[in-house]
Amino acid sequence: MLPKILLPVLSFILLSSATFAQVRKVQGVVRDAQTNERLAFVSIAANDGETGTTTNLEGQYQLQHNKPIRSLRFSYVGYASQVVYPDSSQILNVYLQPAAAQLQEVIVHGTGENPAHRIIRLATQNREKHQLENIPAYTYRTYNKLILTATDTRQVDFSDTLQLSPQDSAYLKMRKLLDKQHLFLMESITDYAYLKPGKTKETILATRVSGLQQPSFGVVAAEARDFSVYEDMPVFFGKRYLSPLSPGSTRKYDFLLQETVAINGDTTFVISFKPEAGKNFDGLEGLLYINSNGWAVQNVLAQSAANDDKRGIKLQQRYEQVGAQQQWFPTELDVEITVPQLSLKGHQPYGHLRTYITNINLNPNLRKSDFGVIALQQKADAHLQPDSYYQQFRPDSLNALETRTYQRLDSVGKADKLDRTIRVMEYLMAKQIPLGPVSIDIPRIFKVSAFEGVRLGFGMHTNALWSERFIVGGYWGYGFRDEQEKYGADATVILHKPSELQLKAAYSEDVSEPGGRNLPYQHKGLLSNYRPAILPDLTYTTHKSITLGGRLFRYLQAQTQLRQEQHRPTLGVAADAQPLAYNLTEGVISFRYAYGEKYMQQFNQKILMPGSYPVLWLQYTRGLNNILDGNYSYNKYDMKLETSLRHRTFGESSIILTGGLVDGHAPFVSLYNGYGSNNPEYKVYIGEGFETMRPYEFFSDRFMALFFAHNFGKRFLRTSFFKPDVVAVTNVGWGDLLQPLEGMLPEQFSTMNKGFYESGLLLNNIISSTFSGIGVGAFYRYGPYAFDKAKDNLRVKLTLTIAF
């Protein structure tokens, strides 16, 4: 027997050992027990809710408590909950089993109300205080990683096969490659700043792209970061969806309270959502984790609820409370993108973008002068940062697969000179092909129009390798239908690069549209340059000008121009008549105001980021008589307004309002044609203009026009095989002419003083692919200028849309 004096000592040691063995801190990874996939946003409650946490996007968790951790409950929607009792180990990895069935909705019979609806309404009522745009100012740093890889869709075992087909060999080769590396890997570190209202600036501090030594671009999580369920109609990767937290969403969405987790006195409600059956709107589906502390969104998992989207996109966002004010703020973002229509040797390619937000400062010292129109730019030395710089912000070191991706693709990039290929692609995006210090202008090589037929030519300008301040160039072309050559030259001096102030002199012998609209700073899209193809008559024009233009303020661009032109029209001129010539000298002042418009400086060029506010153009032109051979004196005023309006459930409207006035004596080439596009030989919808009006059917010296289109999306026609986007169009125009048209007979034109009306219906994307769609549109002309025969008022055209 032990001496009695040793018994208390031994008891103390045993009790102390038990105390020290008690776990107060635990960490690990939660995975799917069947697929080994890491699970994000798993709820973890310690000691029946005394404290808790959730896993991050990597499935990792870390939990520390001021009391011994006796039990941990792991719960996740779609999986069986699991309770674990920690022992002395602080590392605890957990594998959850998928549940056989989802939890069923619980109805409180006393009121008959879905319990999820009360929580959704509380979250909707508290939206404003959690919206990031309502914070006066903030800054943060991001680490971004984009992986492009592919998954095995076939899972074929060829171990017993002696002979393989070429397709099987390619499949095995791709599978072996993906076992060793990804297809592409890119990382970046950025600094982001925000100042209310709406001023943003992001700077890429470091960028690394597999295969490239000097990347001129970096990955940012703009789409995932800007997505907010607090908005009524958030943009979800190029498309707007009705938010599950928009007013009245309980009448549109089916909400289901899946789980309730109590932690530290707060409760997290896990609510699934999807569009109600029979409701026809662009909706999302996924999970909302709503915290009772401020009724804020803690986690979001969302994807498109439609099965007809051309891309599969899944988004996850994690929010945490930061700063002294405990503001809910996103700290982790995750996006997975797949294109179901694409297959890569039996594998499904997909992209995976993950972003971690750190260094959050809710009280930065920011000023308006810190922000310009360039919202995203890259530091000159961003591609020179060492791996140790990235390691500061990575949540974990690169794994063997990622490291091998850099090593292999970097060596391949050097051998294949991928940097040179990227430089060529950058110039192609800018519509130029570099040849040393000069660049070939791609649009000058080939054109097609009703007047010129096929036009072949050549154009060239100097680039930054020659000079960053001076640009000179010229072009030459030949139209095979009109059998005339065209040519021109210009020179530009960049006076002040930050304000885009530049002085340009130009000379050309070319063609122009009589009575066309000419406003500067119009960003031409892919489908914006088709109008020349429908014009049967153009004017031969000798043009000389000097132009000074730039940015007066952040959102205001201005341009002044003095030009001398001689117009030799073909419209209204008989074949055997003496050609007319109009000599014009004009002074022009133009303005473009686009509030909130931003640009990003990527791929060595400035790219427009479309805004949500109206864009306004104003222009004044003065015809100068007896100056530089000018023969006409007049004042000309032009205006154009573009905007779009969104409705939560009825789609989006596009509105263009334009007008003009010529006061004084001017030739018809300086007036306004009706802007019609009804050419029987042309069957494609243009988008701006009158689809049932002939190009030169009307002329006016004063006019107004409204072009209205409303896109209902797939709300009206959504079947298994027929899912077009339905667009309703109405165009209205008015014009008058108070002066005679010199050189034209009255029977050659009309005026629109009685009002011109047409309406149409477009069915876009009847035939669609991953990147584009083809549809059909029908337009009908009615009102005072309708034709006698109904069939003459009808115009049917093809429509072309771009998916991205």
Side-chain angles (χ1 to χ4, degrees):
M1 293 183 62
L2 292 173
K4 291 184 179 180
I5 193 171
L6 293 180
L7 288 176
V9 175
L10 181 58
S11 300
F12 175 77
I13 292 174
L14 292 175
L15 290 173
S16 299
S17 299
T19 301
F20 291 139
Q22 291 174 343
V23 177
R24 294 174 181 264
K25 180 180 179 180
V26 66
Q27 60 184 354
V29 178
V30 182
R31 301 175 185 266
D32 184 305
Q34 295 182 2
T35 66
N36 208 40
E37 177 186 359
R38 298 186 178 210
L39 301 178
F41 307 151
V42 175
S43 298
I44 306 169
N47 301 345
D48 297 325
E50 285 182 355
T51 187
T53 186
T54 60
T55 58
N56 65 11
L57 294 175
E58 300 284 355
Q60 301 169 337
Y61 73 95
Q62 182 173 341
L63 182 64
Q64 188 168 354
H65 194 21
N66 55 9
K67 299 179 182 179
I69 299 176
R70 301 183 304 274
S71 66
L72 290 171
R73 182 178 184 270
F74 296 81
S75 58
Y76 192 56
V77 175
Y79 290 78
S81 298
Q82 186 176 150
V83 179
V84 179
Y85 301 95
D87 52 20
S88 59
S89 175
Q90 294 186 350
I91 304 297
L92 186 59
N93 297 323
V94 176
Y95 294 83
L96 297 182
Q97 291 287 349
Q102 296 286 327
L103 295 177
Q104 297 300 312
E105 181 177 5
V106 178
I107 300 295
V108 179
H109 295 287
T111 62
E113 183 184 26
N114 181 343
H117 286 183
R118 180 183 69 88
I119 302 164
I120 292 297
R121 284 196 296 268
L122 287 170
T124 302
Q125 293 167 8
N126 286 271
R127 290 190 309 167
E128 289 191 8
K129 69 179 181 181
H130 299 307
Q131 286 181 302
L132 299 186
E133 62 187 31
N134 292 329
I135 301 176
Y138 58 82
T139 61
Y140 58 74
R141 181 159 291 181
T142 74
Y143 165 76
N144 311 278
K145 179 169 65 176
L146 173 64
I147 295 174
L148 296 183
T149 186
T151 57
D152 189 348
T153 58
R154 295 173 58 183
Q155 297 290 338
V156 181
D157 183 9
F158 290 110
S159 57
D160 297 329
T161 302
L162 298 178
Q163 294 183 346
L164 300 177
S165 67
Q167 293 83 359
D168 291 336
S169 298
Y171 164 78
L172 283 177
K173 186 177 181 181
M174 177 57 64
R175 188 163 72 179
K176 291 178 181 179
L177 174 67
L178 294 173
D179 287 339
K180 298 177 182 178
Q181 66 174 76
H182 297 304
L183 301 176
F184 179 81
L185 176 61
M186 182 162 61
E187 294 178 283
S188 70
I189 309 293
T190 77
D191 270 348
Y192 186 87
Y194 171 85
L195 182 65
K196 188 179 178 180
K199 296 178 178 62
T200 63
K201 179 178 65 174
E202 187 166 14
T203 304
I204 299 176
L205 307 176
T207 181
R208 186 178 181 184
V209 180
S210 56
L212 298 180
Q213 303 301 311
Q214 296 181 345
S216 58
F217 58 94
V219 59
V220 295
E223 288 278 8
R225 180 178 57 218
D226 293 342
F227 174 84
S228 173
V229 291
Y230 293 123
E231 294 184 16
D232 288 347
M233 295 287 292
V235 177
F236 192 68
F237 294 86
K239 187 175 180 179
R240 291 195 175 273
Y241 294 84
L242 181 68
S243 169
L245 292 185
S246 60
S249 63
T250 54
R251 297 189 300 271
K252 297 286 186 178
Y253 278 96
D254 181 16
F255 293 101
L256 181 64
L257 180 59
Q258 297 278 11
E259 190 172 10
T260 301
V261 182
I263 298 175
N264 289 335
D266 297 327
T267 302
T268 300
F269 302 94
V270 183
I271 299 175
S272 64
F273 62 93
K274 62 181 180 180
E276 284 189 357
K279 300 292 185 179
N280 200 356
F281 66 96
D282 291 326
L284 300 168
E285 62 181 5
L287 294 174
L288 289 174
Y289 290 61
I290 298 177
N291 196 298
S292 62
N293 186 348
W295 300 103
V297 173
Q298 182 176 324
N299 299 315
V300 180
L301 293 88
Q303 64 184 29
S304 172
N307 59 6
D308 51 14
D309 280 3
K310 301 171 187 176
R311 296 156 291 164
I313 302 176
K314 296 181 180 179
L315 169 72
Q316 299 182 81
Q317 295 177 323
R318 185 184 187 188
Y319 291 77
E320 296 182 80
Q321 289 182 291
V322 300
Q325 53 270 66
Q326 290 293 282
Q327 172 73 45
W328 287 95
F329 205 93
T331 56
E332 297 179 13
L333 309 171
D334 183 272
V335 177
E336 289 190 16
I337 303 176
T338 60
V339 183
Q341 295 89 340
L342 295 182
S343 179
L344 188 62
K345 299 178 181 179
H347 294 75
Q348 171 66 64
Y350 73 92
H352 191 185
L353 173 61
R354 186 158 286 177
T355 294
Y356 293 86
I357 298 176
T358 58
N359 298 14
I360 300 170
N361 183 0
L362 300 181
N363 296 290
N365 184 22
L366 296 177
R367 298 167 297 180
K368 291 183 179 179
S369 57
D370 296 330
F371 300 84
V373 295
I374 305 297
L376 173 63
Q377 59 185 349
Q378 181 172 307
K379 292 187 65 177
D381 62 347
H383 64 285
L384 300 176
Q385 298 299 331
D387 187 74
S388 58
Y389 184 81
Y390 293 90
Q391 193 58 36
Q392 301 176 60
F393 305 100
R394 290 173 180 145
D396 201 356
S397 299
L398 296 179
N399 58 36
L401 205 64
E402 293 166 340
T403 301
R404 198 176 298 115
T405 300
Y406 273 136
Q407 293 171 348
R408 293 193 172 206
L409 292 183
D410 285 350
S411 61
V412 171
K414 284 184 179 180
D416 293 345
K417 298 180 180 180
L418 290 183
D419 280 275
R420 180 189 299 176
T421 303
I422 291 296
R423 296 288 91 77
V424 173
M425 291 179 60
E426 290 171 355
Y427 281 95
L428 290 176
M429 291 174 61
K431 302 177 182 179
Q432 294 180 320
I433 301 176
L435 294 175
V438 297
S439 298
I440 298 174
D441 299 325
I442 296 177
R444 298 290 184 185
I445 297 176
F446 178 82
K447 291 183 180 180
V448 177
S449 73
F451 180 75
E452 294 181 277
V454 174
R455 171 171 165 171
L456 300 180
F458 181 81
M460 181 180 292
H461 280 80
T462 60
N463 55 43
L465 293 180
W466 185 75
S467 174
E468 293 188 352
R469 288 194 59 193
F470 301 95
I471 304 171
V472 296
Y475 70 92
W476 177 90
Y478 183 82
F480 285 86
R481 175 172 292 181
D482 68 334
E483 299 181 341
Q484 295 291 325
E485 62 178 353
K486 293 89 180 174
Y487 52 88
D490 58 78
T492 301
V493 180
I494 300 175
L495 303 175
H496 186 244
K497 194 171 183 178
S499 64
E500 305 169 7
L501 182 64
Q502 61 182 29
L503 181 67
K504 179 179 181 180
Y507 170 82
S508 66
E509 291 281 355
D510 213 320
V511 290
S512 62
E513 178 183 354
R517 283 95 164 134
N518 297 302
L519 296 172
Y521 305 119
Q522 297 199 77
H523 300 281
K524 300 294 185 181
L526 183 63
L527 303 179
S528 300
N529 297 323
Y530 285 145
R531 181 165 177 78
I534 60 128
L535 299 176
D537 294 280
L538 294 175
T539 297
Y540 291 106
T541 304
T542 301
H543 171 94
K544 305 172 186 175
S545 67
I546 184 167
T547 306
L548 178 66
R551 194 173 291 275
L552 291 182
F553 303 104
R554 179 180 288 113
Y555 306 124
L556 179 63
Q557 294 169 285
Q559 176 180 288
T560 61
Q561 183 181 73
L562 178 64
R563 64 187 177 215
Q564 180 190 36
E565 294 181 334
Q566 184 185 79
H567 292 259
R568 302 176 296 279
T570 61
L571 177 65
V573 178
D576 56 350
Q578 185 69 24
L580 299 174
Y582 303 106
N583 294 317
L584 304 176
T585 301
E586 296 176 321
V588 186
I589 301 177
S590 309
F591 299 94
R592 179 181 181 271
Y593 184 73
Y595 179 77
E597 187 175 73
K598 301 173 185 177
Y599 296 82
M600 61 179 178
Q601 192 75 39
Q602 292 271 267
F603 302 99
N604 284 322
Q605 60 185 291
K606 191 172 68 173
I607 302 172
L608 175 66
M609 303 168 63
S612 58
Y613 294 95
V615 181
L616 175 66
W617 286 264
L618 296 173
Q619 180 169 278
Y620 168 70
T621 304
R622 172 64 182 176
L624 304 174
N625 190 23
N626 296 323
I627 297 178
L628 298 177
D629 298 327
N631 296 329
Y632 299 89
S633 177
Y634 52 87
N635 298 302
K636 185 177 182 180
Y637 309 90
D638 291 280
M639 179 277 295
K640 180 180 179 182
L641 178 71
E642 287 186 359
T643 190
S644 60
L645 303 173
R646 297 187 303 275
H647 190 274
R648 287 198 299 270
T649 56
F650 294 118
E652 184 171 357
S653 298
S654 172
I655 300 172
I656 299 176
L657 179 64
T658 183
L661 169 67
V662 177
D663 180 21
H665 179 54
F668 79 93
V669 294
S670 297
L671 302 182
Y672 306 103
N673 66 49
Y675 218 57
S677 61
N678 183 359
N679 187 327
E681 298 179 357
Y682 187 78
K683 305 295 185 180
V684 177
Y685 172 60
I686 288 182
E688 180 183 348
F690 294 96
E691 303 297 327
T692 62
M693 180 192 296
R694 297 187 298 273
Y696 303 120
E697 185 175 349
F698 299 95
F699 268 90
S700 308
D701 58 18
R702 58 206 65 205
F703 87 100
M704 290 191 67
L706 172 67
F707 303 100
F708 176 85
H710 186 83
N711 190 340
F712 292 95
K714 304 182 188 300
R715 291 168 176 80
F716 296 143
L717 297 173
R718 193 195 295 264
T719 66
S720 300
F721 303 100
F722 191 61
K723 307 168 186 175
D725 294 304
V726 180
V727 182
V729 176
T730 293
N731 302 323
V732 178
W734 174 89
D736 204 356
L737 186 64
L738 303 185
Q739 60 177 291
L741 285 191
E742 180 180 343
M744 292 186 68
L745 299 175
E747 60 268 18
Q748 294 176 311
F749 68 93
S750 302
T751 60
M752 288 195 301
N753 58 335
K754 297 179 182 179
F756 186 91
Y757 306 92
E758 68 176 15
S759 293
L761 187 68
L762 307 179
L763 300 179
N764 293 334
N765 298 314
I766 296 176
I767 302 174
S768 62
S769 65
T770 303
F771 305 105
S772 62
I774 298 176
V776 65
F779 305 88
Y780 194 79
R781 173 175 177 160
Y782 55 92
Y785 297 105
F787 297 118
D788 295 334
K789 296 181 179 179
K791 67 175 184 178
D792 294 333
N793 295 312
L794 182 65
R795 188 82 170 101
V796 178
K797 296 186 177 183
L798 296 176
T799 68
L800 177 65
T801 56
I802 303 298
F804 294 139

